[in-house]
Amino acid sequence: MSSSKLVLGIESSCDDTSIALVEVIVGDRSVEGRVVADSTFSQVIHEEYGGVVPELASRGHLAAVTRVLTSLDIQYSEIDAIAVTTAPGLIGSLMVGVSFAYGLSQRYNLPLLGVHHLEGHLYSSLLGRVELLKFPYVGMIVSGGHTSIYKIHDLGSVQNMASTSDDAAGECLDKVGVYMGLPYPAGRAVATAASEAEALILNGSFDPSQYRLPQVKKLSFSGVKTAFINLYDDLIANLSKDSNACNSKASLSRLDVGTGEIVQEEAPRYSRQDICNIVCYLLLETVTDLLVKYLEPHLEGVNGILLGGGVIANQQLREKIAVLGEQYGTQILMPEKRYSTDNGAMIALAGGMRLLNGLNGDMRVMSRRDI
Ligand code: KG4
Ligand code: ZN
């Protein structure tokens, strides 16, 4: 026997105003999140500041939220509940979404559920598919604000196994990317620049094995960020030295394995763009390798891996985790790329799953709340 609820989900914890209508169908241990309609407005104003400015973010939500909702053409008589992100996030941004959701719930006499943003990310892979839930799962959220690994024993029973002690993985990509002049949020631009470096590998002017990448023993990305900012500075400094030196050409010694002789070769001349692409390539390799390394020890005794968060949209990371899943014979549930980044559909789904399983929401609005 299955039961279903039509839930309106509202997400405004950071810089995306996102609202979605989702039919949540729960059967005997199965879940389906059918997205009926969704709409997202992403604020671009933060690009010029290289990061999210909280006051501008809350004003941006205020200006956008009614427009995003009306673009959906909702029949309120058909809705069963409203779910809204209450924590964690920017307090002003959260307050806009929560006040708006509260107003709607009063106007249309609908129950209101407060949903934890990370619970939304954890179940986001269940959007657009029917899945038989086989707990326990290991969950990994990799976003701009969080990098955490969870053991999910059952619905509503989530144990934090590890969290970054400093920067989140997405924050590390964003900060190094912005430092090099890429637009904020920089994750996607870093991935695009990294793929451009492949041309340099093919023409032999960039050999990734020549670089010593940072070794990190615990879940942490602050040191990685500093190491790559320093690498970028060093490569740019060499570039200016080269262009200042008259007549002298930088050279590179290479052992010719055929003749056994040391040959002198002209060192590759990189442009600023090449350097940015090279740093992005090495950064993405390092961050994705570390995420796989941190995840691996948690795979024993679980039936699957639930992934969520903006960085999970990264193709390279998806491929590396897919290989890990094959090695362990573990099912991998990844959200569609558009549901990896912040979205209202995941909030509607998490709210609906709570409702159908007799769990309460939490209406306390907080910048931080543990899951
Ligand atoms: O989940 P999300 O939308 O917001 C938070 O809850 O933080 O994640 C945003 C993060 C940003 O750091 C952004 O640069 C990163 O996700 N991101 C990506 C990609 N798309 C977004 N990182 C790498 N590759 C991508 N394709
Ligand atoms: Zn998020």
Side-chain angles (χ1 to χ4, degrees), residues 15-17 41-53 56-57 60-61 64 183-185:
D15 55 347
D16 292 312
T17 319
F41 170 75
S42 297
Q43 303 174 5
V44 286
I45 190 164
H46 307 288
E47 212 180 291
E48 62 188 274
Y49 299 93
V52 177
V53 183
L56 293 180
H61 287 302
Y184 175 88

Side-chain angles (χ1 to χ4, degrees), residues 7-10 20-22 24 83 115 343-353:
V7 183
L8 186 73
I10 301 177
L21 190 62
V22 178
V24 185
V115 170
N343 64 89
M346 69 183 191
I347 301 304
L349 174 63
M353 284 166 73

Side-chain angles (χ1 to χ4, degrees), residues 113-127:
L113 267 105
V115 170
H116 197 291
H117 181 76
L118 299 184
E119 190 169 293
H121 274 309
L122 267 185
Y123 297 122
S124 58
S125 58
L126 305 176
L127 287 165

